[in-house]
């Protein structure tokens, strides 16, 4: 029984953290915000390259339920 009590007493020792506890939360928020910036930088990348997506869009144009939205903006004498 005394061996178990010695192990439990040793487990209760106080460990000093290298920085305040709130700093860990700030670091986590900064990391997640950096990851959000990276994620948002890839937003809508496929639409920036029309030459790559044109063939895919043409192959899906005849799919059931597909709607045709025309060829874009109409020119008005320009």
């Amino acid at each position: 029984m005394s061996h178990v009590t010695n192990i439990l007493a040793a487990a209760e020792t106080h460990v000093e953290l290298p920085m305040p506890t709130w700093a860990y939360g700030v670091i986590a928020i900064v990391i997640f915000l950096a990851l959000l910036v990276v994620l948002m930088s890839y937003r809508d990348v496929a639409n920036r390259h029309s030459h790559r997506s044109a063939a895919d869009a043409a192959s899906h144009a005849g799919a059931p339920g597909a709607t045709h939205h025309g060829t874009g903006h109409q020119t008005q004498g320009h």
Side-chain angles (χ1 to χ4, degrees):
M1 200 57 146
S2 65
H3 183 62
V4 173
T5 2
N6 288 337
I7 291 174
L8 290 175
E12 293 179 11
T13 58
H14 182 69
V15 177
E16 188 67 32
L17 295 175
M19 60 183 148
T21 55
W22 58 266
Y24 290 102
V26 170
I27 291 171
I29 289 172
V30 168
I31 290 172
F32 283 124
L33 287 175
L35 290 173
L36 179 66
V37 168
V38 170
L39 178 71
M40 288 299 160
S41 71
Y42 284 99
R43 185 180 174 137
D44 208 27
V45 169
N47 292 333
R48 293 183 201 161
H49 306 289
S50 62
H51 68 280
R52 303 229 12 183
S53 63
D56 189 44
S59 68
H60 288 88
T67 57
H68 182 65
H69 296 288
T71 59
H73 297 285
Q74 296 178 356
T75 57
Q76 297 176 355
H78 293 116

